[in-house]
Amino acid sequence: MIKQRAFPVEPWSVRETELNLENLAQAESVFALSNGHIGMRANLDEGEPFGLPGTYLNGLYEVRPLPYAEAGYGYPEVGHTVVNVTNGKIIRLLVEDEPFDVRYGELNRHERLLDLRAGLLHRTAEWMSPAGHGIRVSATRLVSFTQRAAAAILYEVEPLDVALPVVIQSELVTNESLPTTEHDPRAAAALAAPLVSEMHEAVGHRAILVHRTRGSELRVAAAMDHEVDGPPGTETTVESYDDLARLSVTADLEPGRPLRLLKFLSYGWSAARSLPAVRDQVGAGLASARHTGWNGLLGAQRQYLDRFWERADVEIEGDAELQQAVRFALWHVLQAGGRAEGRAIPAKGLTGPGYDGHAFWDTESFVLPVLTYTAPHAVADELRWRHSTLELARDRARVLCLKGAAFPWRTIAGLENSGYWPAGTAAFHINADIADAVERYRAATDDDAFDRDVGVELLVETARLWRSLGHHDARGRFRIDGVTGPDEYSAIADNNVYTNLMAQRNLLAAAEAAARHPRRAARFGVDEEEAASWRDAASAMLIPFDDSRGVHQQAESFTEHEVWDFEDTPPERYPLLLHFPYFELYRRQVVKQADLVLAMHLRGDAFTAEQKARNFAYYEALTVRDSSLSACTQSVIAAEVGLLELAYDYFAEAALMDLDDLEHNTRDGVHIASLAGAWIAAVAGLGGMRDHDGELSFRPRLPGAIRRLCFRLSFRGRRLQIEVVHGRATYSLLEGVALEIVHHDQRRLVEPGRPLELQIPPPPNRERPHQPRGREPARRRVLQ
């Protein structure tokens, strides 16, 4: 953990009060702007210095080779990686022919502020040039939630002391030089200058560049237009080339009279549309943004976010740092999925190139639960994207000699992109994770059209996968052998509890969906016999349990493996996967991330309270949290079993993952699932919210330092508010008709205009469990 706070604690913003060149890349991720379609890292306006340049369009990728030392049947042959597209953020400034560059001259002030309510990134800099002349630069960026293809930048410069000649160069730049971390030269070659020019044009204050990717042959266009407000004599020129378009603005400025440049941007891409069509698409986006204008874009952005925060805000009293972190987390979750519309939600969102821009099971298991209750339209969009890739998943299942659909472990466009099959192909639980997201969305929204048109087919094809992957053994038990669960330190295991329990839910959900929509199911060949076979498999599902230890086995025989030697593993040898061969990890009791503990969260209905407590204590001693996905789940179950201070510790770890750069890799993009986990730790952990079979239940309790927790949920056309203080919870229906809930096993009705106040029973008295040496969560110390 870093020694000092990188950002001051403020309830609705993240502020950087000085520029640290060593942490540029981290700040570029933290301050990145996105709407789910366009992503812009927070590179400095002038382009240099940078940590890692990046502008991304969701779903746009380049083909790259997947190298193998030894090939095998069924291995994916190519991978996809996110492309850094045309950079429209660049606005260079020259003062008396001196480039504004923070590495030269004297930077007297530099501040950036991310406004979470307005959805804007502000920057202010005061700089003394090497020639001794001072200027003030102010810039505000916006990536629009309401106009999906649009972004805009307001840039102002003024002298501080004497009149100065200045030149502003507003640019579109393609094929930027990037720092490389790619060790395979073939892959590096594929990603070097991946965009080939197809056209460029510049007229007036407007310019457009159209390119296509070399390998994937996707067409991408970027366009810019400007409004210039300067003193008399201000001149502009525009030019374009294959990989560059530039508007130059020249003016003589006096103190107190700034030069103002308003830059509108529009982006689009397509795998099918022609060059004129894509060109005109971004032209239309540009025209729409200009018609709305800067003030119109600001107002629409604020209205969009006001509506979001009314549905989604989490209020925390007693820990201001955690309050800031949770809102920052929700902001990035919204940015990742708010307007993804027909595309995946990548593990890094559109904030950086980490994981090659791939989406994993993280999306369905961590991100979509948050959006289901705060922005459900985004969940429907992401699941429609999964549905659009169904034929590719069917093809993958056939290659693997299976029926139904085998969804990819990591992907951008629906193809499997994992070159390591024990952690990729064998992690079939992705199918059940998708099915779980489908069922959660249906139960929370009553979206019958989605259920019929999208949900049924996804549930049917994922259920068919389980029925063909598993089998009934001689004792009649349904087994799913040779799979990898969420814990990537235990691969190719038999009867992973998480996988089996989630597959069980998947099988039953498919049978119920077929019964709800028999005609639709019949179109996919489902008959009564097949649906009965799903129910039979679900009822006979094998769930391993170690009677001698009184705990569930993460997978069959797991508790019989040798325990990892934690005492002789020094801190510098974590994460283990970077210092030990997988073979050593696979045959030991050591857990990378919550696995069985995650099963107790998502399938809590399958465990007794005592089993949860015993399981949690046992697996705490084995879990090293070499994954950012773990802390939030451990927080949830710690809270459920009554370990509220431990839950608080894990909650803070999930929420501060990127603001404090806990994994030392925020430079590559923020951790969207861990940030989603901050909401999960608050709402499902301290708030005790569960949604099993469409019934909302709550078991709220607070740790000592937190005086009040308040959160809101959207559920079946209602808006529900839950306010928790020590010893008492109040349920209020803000919108919609009466709703039945369960509070600490009491079934109660919440009615409009009649807040329901209920007492909270004390937690059970349990001993805090031990974690592996050196892997304990940091004890939460509230900043005063």
Side-chain angles (χ1 to χ4, degrees):
M1 186 177 292
I2 61 175
K3 301 296 182 184
Q4 296 180 339
R5 287 286 299 158
F7 310 103
V9 175
E10 301 176 8
W12 283 102
S13 60
V14 180
R15 185 187 306 268
E16 179 188 63
T17 57
E18 61 182 25
L19 190 64
N20 185 334
L21 296 184
E22 294 182 357
N23 291 335
L24 267 182
Q26 176 197 350
E28 289 164 356
S29 299
V30 167
F31 290 120
L33 297 181
S34 173
N35 59 14
H37 172 59
I38 303 170
M40 292 182 168
R41 284 177 62 81
N43 308 116
L44 301 179
D45 302 277
E46 55 275 15
E48 297 178 12
F50 57 75
L52 187 61
T55 303
Y56 311 106
L57 294 181
N58 197 348
L60 185 75
Y61 64 88
E62 180 57 303
V63 175
R64 55 175 292 183
L66 283 179
Y68 299 97
E70 185 174 336
Y73 174 79
Y75 286 11
E77 296 180 359
V78 297
H80 297 158
T81 192
V82 66
V83 174
N84 178 37
V85 300
T86 301
N87 184 358
K89 304 185 295 286
I90 293 181
I91 301 176
R92 305 188 196 276
L93 171 65
L94 290 91
V95 180
E96 287 190 319
D97 297 328
E98 288 279 0
F100 170 43
D101 188 321
V102 297
R103 295 168 295 187
Y104 304 97
E106 187 174 340
L107 188 63
N108 296 320
R109 181 190 174 201
H110 193 278
E111 180 173 292
R112 287 189 284 185
L113 183 140
L114 177 63
D115 187 329
L116 302 175
R117 284 185 290 192
L120 304 172
L121 177 62
H122 301 283
R123 180 194 184 199
T124 302
E126 293 183 1
W127 178 72
M128 189 73 69
S129 73
H133 298 302
I135 60 162
R136 178 184 297 114
V137 173
S138 302
T140 299
R141 284 186 197 171
L142 171 149
V143 173
S144 176
F145 281 109
T146 58
Q147 297 192 26
R148 183 171 178 257
I153 304 170
L154 177 62
Y155 188 91
E156 293 182 324
V157 57
E158 67 173 299
L160 294 178
D161 40 26
V162 298
L164 293 171
V166 301
V167 177
I168 292 177
Q169 296 173 317
S170 176
E171 298 181 346
L172 296 174
V173 179
T174 307
N175 289 323
E176 296 175 286
S177 296
L178 300 175
T180 181
T181 57
E182 181 56 66
H183 301 296
D184 176 22
R186 294 170 299 172
L191 300 178
L195 297 172
V196 179
S197 175
E198 290 195 316
M199 74 151 286
H200 59 85
E201 180 180 271
V203 179
H205 291 164
R206 181 177 178 275
I208 183 170
L209 300 179
V210 181
H211 290 77
R212 60 174 173 79
T213 52
R214 293 181 188 275
S216 55
E217 296 189 345
L218 305 177
R219 181 167 285 117
V220 56
M224 64 178 181
D225 204 348
H226 303 82
E227 294 178 4
V228 179
D229 181 9
T234 299
E235 296 180 356
T236 62
T237 59
V238 67
E239 55 194 323
S240 68
Y241 309 93
D242 284 353
D243 288 347
L244 171 68
R246 178 190 296 127
L247 174 78
S248 297
V249 182
T250 306
D252 295 316
L253 300 185
E254 297 179 1
R257 300 191 62 183
L259 172 61
R260 183 176 187 264
L261 176 78
L262 179 54
K263 182 175 188 176
F264 297 98
L265 293 162
S266 178
Y267 285 92
W269 74 269
S270 175
R273 289 193 295 277
S274 66
L275 189 156
V278 175
R279 176 200 64 202
D280 294 348
Q281 173 189 344
V282 295
L286 206 56
S288 179
R290 285 213 58 178
H291 175 74
T292 302
W294 176 251
N295 289 333
L297 290 172
L298 294 185
Q301 188 87 333
R302 183 60 185 253
Q303 289 177 7
Y304 182 97
L305 288 167
D306 283 347
R307 290 192 298 270
F308 172 72
W309 291 117
E310 285 173 3
R311 299 189 307 268
D313 189 26
V314 174
E315 300 173 48
I316 297 172
E317 293 182 9
D319 190 332
E321 182 183 38
L322 200 53
Q323 173 69 90
Q324 177 191 42
V326 170
R327 285 177 174 146
F328 169 80
L330 278 166
W331 160 254
H332 269 292
V333 170
L334 178 66
Q335 286 203 127
R339 299 297 307 272
E341 295 173 13
R343 304 292 174 197
I345 299 177
K348 295 289 188 180
L350 298 177
T351 67
Y355 301 121
D356 285 320
H358 294 158
F360 297 75
W361 69 289
D362 311 14
T363 299
E364 282 77 14
S365 292
F366 294 89
V367 180
L368 294 196
V370 180
L371 294 173
T372 295
Y373 305 104
T374 60
H377 69 278
V379 178
D381 286 337
E382 196 277 346
L383 291 173
R384 287 189 182 96
W385 167 75
R386 284 290 190 188
H387 185 259
S388 74
T389 68
L390 194 50
E391 195 54 47
L392 294 173
R394 290 190 185 102
D395 291 342
R396 181 65 175 159
R398 284 190 284 269
V399 168
L400 299 174
C401 305
L402 297 169
K403 295 180 181 178
F407 282 96
W409 171 243
R410 58 186 299 169
T411 190
I412 291 179
L415 291 174
E416 178 60 76
N417 277 190
S418 174
Y420 183 61
W421 67 269
T425 296
F428 288 102
H429 66 83
I430 177 67
N431 265 36
D433 301 325
I434 293 168
D436 184 58
V438 169
E439 274 296 279
R440 183 184 299 105
Y441 172 78
R442 182 191 67 82
T445 64
D446 288 332
D447 188 341
D448 291 334
F450 174 90
D451 185 36
R452 180 190 64 246
D453 299 337
V454 176
V456 172
E457 191 173 11
L458 283 173
L459 292 171
V460 164
E461 295 297 353
T462 49
R464 284 172 170 163
L465 183 283
W466 296 119
R467 193 61 189 82
S468 66
L469 183 63
H471 71 283
H472 290 277
D473 65 15
R475 296 166 60 182
R477 303 173 302 179
F478 192 77
R479 304 178 57 91
I480 303 176
D481 297 328
V483 300
T484 300
D487 172 27
E488 295 158 22
Y489 286 173
S490 301
I492 320 302
D494 293 342
N495 297 299
N496 171 260
V497 168
Y498 175 87
T499 301
N500 284 20
L501 284 175
M502 296 297 283
Q504 182 185 60
R505 174 177 285 173
N506 190 167
L507 290 160
L508 291 174
E512 291 165 3
R516 283 194 307 273
H517 301 284
R519 290 185 180 179
R520 183 72 171 166
R523 285 186 55 190
F524 307 129
V526 179
D527 55 25
E528 291 185 5
E529 183 178 351
E530 183 175 24
S533 76
W534 296 338
R535 294 189 183 96
D536 290 344
S539 65
M541 190 68 68
L542 175 58
I543 307 300
F545 189 83
D546 185 333
D547 291 310
S548 64
R549 294 175 176 83
V551 298
H552 284 85
Q553 295 177 310
Q554 180 172 285
E556 209 167 18
S557 301
F558 178 81
T559 55
E560 299 169 20
H561 293 177
E562 182 181 1
V563 175
W564 185 269
D565 186 358
F566 298 109
E567 290 301 314
D568 291 329
T569 305
E572 62 270 16
R573 300 201 76 181
Y574 289 96
L576 298 179
L577 76 164
L578 299 183
H579 299 94
F580 296 93
Y582 273 118
F583 173 71
E584 282 296 298
L585 300 170
Y586 289 166
R587 59 197 189 98
R588 300 283 200 280
Q589 287 191 65
V590 56
V591 179
K592 179 182 181 183
Q593 64 205 62
D595 186 309
L596 184 92
V597 174
L598 181 60
M600 294 194 297
H601 175 201
L602 298 182
R603 284 299 317 272
D605 55 323
F607 301 85
T608 68
E610 183 57 30
Q611 285 172 344
K612 289 176 183 177
R614 291 180 64 86
N615 287 341
F616 183 73
Y618 185 86
Y619 286 94
E620 273 292 279
L622 304 175
T623 303
V624 296
R625 296 193 333 283
D626 282 349
S627 165
S628 63
L629 297 180
S630 198
C632 70
T633 299
Q634 289 170 275
S635 179
V636 168
I637 302 302
E640 182 171 356
V641 302
L643 299 165
L644 297 172
E645 300 305 321
L646 180 58
Y648 186 27
D649 297 341
Y650 281 132
F651 180 4
E653 183 174 304
L656 293 167
M657 183 62 61
D658 292 304
L659 287 177
D660 281 358
D661 197 13
L662 299 184
E663 296 276 348
H664 308 293
N665 59 4
T666 298
R667 60 167 281 119
D668 298 321
V670 300
H671 300 75
I672 297 297
S674 182
L675 295 175
W679 183 94
I680 292 170
V683 173
L686 302 186
M689 190 274 279
R690 299 292 185 275
D691 179 5
H692 295 311
D693 299 321
E695 179 181 80
L696 281 183
S697 64
F698 302 88
R699 303 180 69 87
R701 290 190 177 103
L702 299 181
I706 296 182
R707 299 188 300 272
R708 174 179 174 268
L709 170 70
C710 183
F711 57 91
R712 300 173 185 90
L713 301 170
S714 295
F715 187 77
R716 294 183 175 173
R718 289 97 160 175
R719 193 157 60 91
L720 184 66
Q721 176 177 287
I722 299 89
E723 183 178 21
V724 186
V725 296
H726 288 282
R728 187 178 73 255
T730 303
Y731 300 87
S732 303
L733 199 59
L734 305 180
E735 290 180 17
V737 298
L739 176 68
E740 188 175 75
I741 63 154
V742 178
H743 168 85
H744 283 280
D745 301 325
Q746 302 175 43
R747 194 171 296 276
R748 303 297 294 265
L749 188 69
V750 188
E751 299 178 273
R754 300 182 64 183
L756 180 64
E757 185 175 303
L758 300 171
Q759 297 300 307
I760 297 175
N765 185 18
R766 299 193 191 279
E767 182 179 348
R768 184 176 173 123
H770 297 288
Q771 294 80 28
R773 185 176 71 89
R775 307 306 287 171
E776 306 89 349
R779 289 293 181 101
R780 185 72 186 138
R781 299 287 183 264
V782 178
L783 296 180
Q784 300 300 325

